Amino acid sequence: MTPDGEFYQRDRNLHPPAYTPDYKTSVARSPSYALISLQNSVGEITGPVFGHDDIDPIDKDLLSNYARPGESPIGERIILHGHVFDENGRAVPNTLVEAWQANAGGRYRHKKDTYLAPIDPNFGGCGRTITDEDGYYYFRTVKPGAYPWRNHVNNWRPAHIHISVFGEAFAQRLITQCYFEGDPLIPICPIVQTIPDQEAIDQLTAKLDMNSSIPLDTIAYKFDIVLRGRRSTLFENRLEGN
Amino acid sequence: MAQHLNYLRESASQTAGPYVHIGLAPGAAGFDIYKHELGQDIAGDAALGERIRVEGLVIDGTGSPVKDVLLEVWQANSAGHYAHPRGGGEVEEGFRGWGRVITNFETGEWGFDTVKPGKTRGRNVGMQAPHINFWLVARGINIGLNTRMYFDDEEEANGKDPVLNLIEWQVRRPTLVAKRSERDGIPVYRFDIRLQGENETVFFDI
């Protein structure tokens, strides 16, 4: 095997830096030395491969994957859907996408979450799926609620869904959050604002997608995810592959 | 005016937050929802090579253990092959080489069982010493942190390792080397990861 398939250098100007004092927890958890830059070797250009045996079809349906028979969670029913691309605009097929979120009241099903909003007995709050051949994924869920958190005295997280994506290699591994168009909490959230680039924030803001909604059932939001692009070895007989 | 390059831009990272476990390791967090939990068996029963245990803490800038971190590990098998089409060769049935590790919520201790990886090819020349790739996410970590764990009983290979040798500050190299001991006949490697402060672990931009 030739050691091709390195990834484009990560553009650190659109990612949050490690140390962001307005998001207070980062203060003691941010490395202070510069990262050491590596050219990718085999451990970075490879990553775990997942198949449909790993997950169940119901895992992507948060409306039913924890609900009691015949019941469903409280809240605005939504479809969150989109494509996973790389920076070359190529679809990333067969990759694992995982999601977790608070319920419609803004409460997580976690023993450490003590927010006053109630736990929803029919909502677990996590799901997972594998992108299809075109890099497409979708989840059914409820729109999460905003909730307060201990940072500054009066901080509220905008509604958000945490998203984890693997891509084809360990170097592409990404965890991010999906926000929702029109939320007035986005510009004042210290976690969102760790991102130094407004265009990058907009890229994490899902758009209302009426054309994909299901009348009288579920409203849709479109959220595309972009992973790092991959270099390839130049082959003269495969120029279009570069 | 020059033409535009039509590249997309990578989606920005965001912290995994305090509740990463309910999303990525719900079973381990005591939340029963999936039939199969991912990342629990790293090497599988059929894996060849030396069975080892790896343990440690993730320690923040105040010297306190981080109790809500989630670690992912990625490693080659004992022959130096990753379980991937570009991974260098066949691996044993059931060998995945990938694992998800969560800390004890009270103490911050984490640990996993696996096999010791073999040497792998370097980027250009030479071989890389046996190592395990780590990726850490948690509340307060804005973008996942990549690091590597090497083995202190591989002194010769470590001395030639192209990545360890890339670290100009020799005093920082030992932050990537786990210390071997033995418990109940099983080799145990201790690997504490320091996010900040004295002996801050080396992290990589990969």
Side-chain angles (χ1 to χ4, degrees):
Chain A
M1 195 204 80
T2 51
D4 61 355
E6 238 187 304
F7 287 87
Y8 298 164
Q9 172 185 316
R10 191 162 242 164
D11 182 353
R12 297 264 169 190
N13 295 315
L14 62 83
H15 287 289
Y19 177 73
T20 47
D22 271 355
Y23 171 28
K24 292 179 180 176
T25 319
S26 77
V27 171
R29 295 185 171 193
S30 45
S32 50
Y33 287 106
L35 305 178
I36 306 282
S37 299
L38 286 193
Q39 246 191 314
N40 294 168
S41 62
V42 61
E44 289 78 39
I45 66 167
T46 59
V49 178
F50 298 97
H52 291 277
D53 301 346
D54 287 317
I55 63 171
D56 290 313
I58 198 179
D59 291 349
K60 65 174 174 292
D61 186 2
L62 285 73
L63 292 179
S64 62
N65 70 4
Y66 202 77
R68 294 181 288 220
E71 299 188 16
S72 57
I74 300 290
E76 189 182 336
R77 296 157 61 86
I78 67 168
I79 293 167
L80 183 72
H81 75 123
H83 286 87
V84 181
F85 296 116
D86 72 9
E87 289 171 299
N88 296 307
R90 290 182 201 159
V92 183
N94 307 316
T95 195
L96 183 68
V97 182
E98 294 162 284
W100 68 102
Q101 63 170 96
N103 67 25
R107 172 101 178 249
Y108 286 93
R109 182 175 285 280
H110 192 289
K111 64 178 181 184
K112 293 257 166 89
D113 188 349
T114 55
Y115 179 39
L116 301 169
I119 290 282
D120 183 335
N122 292 306
F123 190 68
C126 63
R128 56 190 187 180
T129 186
I130 289 179
T131 58
D132 70 10
E133 291 307 309
D134 301 317
Y136 180 74
Y137 76 91
Y138 77 90
F139 293 101
R140 291 206 317 160
T141 185
V142 293
K143 192 170 177 192
Y147 58 83
W149 60 300
R150 293 186 186 282
N151 186 60
H152 301 119
V153 173
N154 190 18
N155 280 152
W156 289 70
R157 294 297 332 271
H160 64 278
I161 298 178
H162 295 267
I163 304 278
S164 164
V165 197
F166 276 80
E168 297 163 329
F170 213 52
Q172 280 181 317
R173 192 80 181 81
L174 181 74
I175 284 182
T176 187
Q177 298 182 29
C178 162
Y179 303 99
F180 295 90
E181 174 178 22
D183 190 331
L185 294 169
I186 293 172
I188 55 170
C189 171
I191 289 180
V192 175
Q193 296 303 321
T194 59
I195 300 171
D197 181 300
Q198 185 57 45
E199 213 179 301
I201 293 173
D202 295 343
Q203 200 174 317
L204 296 187
T205 308
K207 259 208 180 326
L208 180 64
D209 180 3
M210 290 306 289
N211 288 345
S212 296
S213 72
I214 299 171
L216 305 178
D217 184 329
T218 322
I219 201 164
Y221 284 88
K222 181 109 197 294
F223 185 66
D224 289 338
I225 301 159
V226 182
L227 303 178
R228 292 165 71 186
R230 188 195 278 277
R231 299 182 208 279
S232 61
T233 308
L234 182 72
F235 290 108
E236 289 189 11
N237 61 356
R238 208 191 63 196
L239 289 170
E240 76 285 356
N242 291 288
Chain B
M1 196 177 120
Q3 297 184 13
H4 283 294
L5 294 171
N6 57 352
Y7 294 115
L8 301 176
R9 301 201 320 158
E10 188 186 10
S11 298
S13 170
Q14 289 275 264
T15 176
Y19 306 129
V20 57
H21 312 94
I22 67 168
L24 302 188
F31 170 46
D32 186 21
I33 186 164
Y34 297 139
K35 275 197 213 126
H36 305 289
E37 185 93 357
L38 293 172
Q40 293 204 312
D41 192 4
I42 299 172
D45 294 336
L48 302 172
E50 187 182 22
R51 296 270 158 185
I52 61 170
R53 181 162 181 82
V54 179
E55 294 178 346
L57 284 171
V58 177
I59 299 162
D60 72 13
T62 74
S64 309
V66 179
K67 297 171 186 171
D68 57 2
V69 63
L70 180 137
L71 305 99
E72 285 188 3
V73 298
W74 176 236
Q75 68 165 87
N77 71 359
S78 59
H81 302 152
Y82 284 89
H84 185 271
R86 292 165 183 259
E90 289 289 308
V91 298
E92 300 89 332
E93 179 71 30
F95 179 88
R96 186 155 238 178
W98 171 75
R100 266 187 185 151
V101 187
I102 70 166
T103 54
N104 179 303
F105 294 142
E106 308 303 324
T107 65
E109 288 278 352
W110 54 264
F112 59 91
D113 300 306
T114 185
V115 295
K116 196 171 168 191
K119 293 179 187 173
T120 53
R121 272 187 325 282
R123 171 66 202 173
N124 292 314
V125 287
M127 297 296 282
Q128 303 185 87
H131 66 275
I132 299 177
N133 304 288
F134 276 70
W135 188 71
L136 284 66
V137 289
R139 178 173 69 106
I141 295 179
N142 287 328
I143 180 164
L145 294 169
N146 285 97
T147 188
R148 288 180 170 204
M149 184 197 106
Y150 289 86
F151 299 85
D152 74 344
D153 53 343
E154 295 285 345
E155 213 169 315
E156 191 188 337
N158 291 346
K160 293 179 189 159
D161 182 80
V163 169
L164 285 172
N165 283 314
L166 196 61
I167 303 166
E168 191 183 343
W169 308 280
Q170 291 203 25
V171 292
R172 298 195 66 205
R173 292 180 194 171
T175 66
L176 300 185
V177 182
K179 288 193 173 50
R180 181 177 174 127
S181 62
E182 208 171 283
R183 190 190 312 136
D184 305 329
I186 302 277
V188 179
Y189 288 91
R190 179 80 193 182
F191 185 53
D192 290 331
I193 298 170
R194 290 182 169 75
L195 298 178
Q196 197 185 77
E198 199 178 347
N199 293 320
E200 178 180 311
T201 299
V202 170
F203 297 101
F204 295 106
D205 189 6
I206 64 172

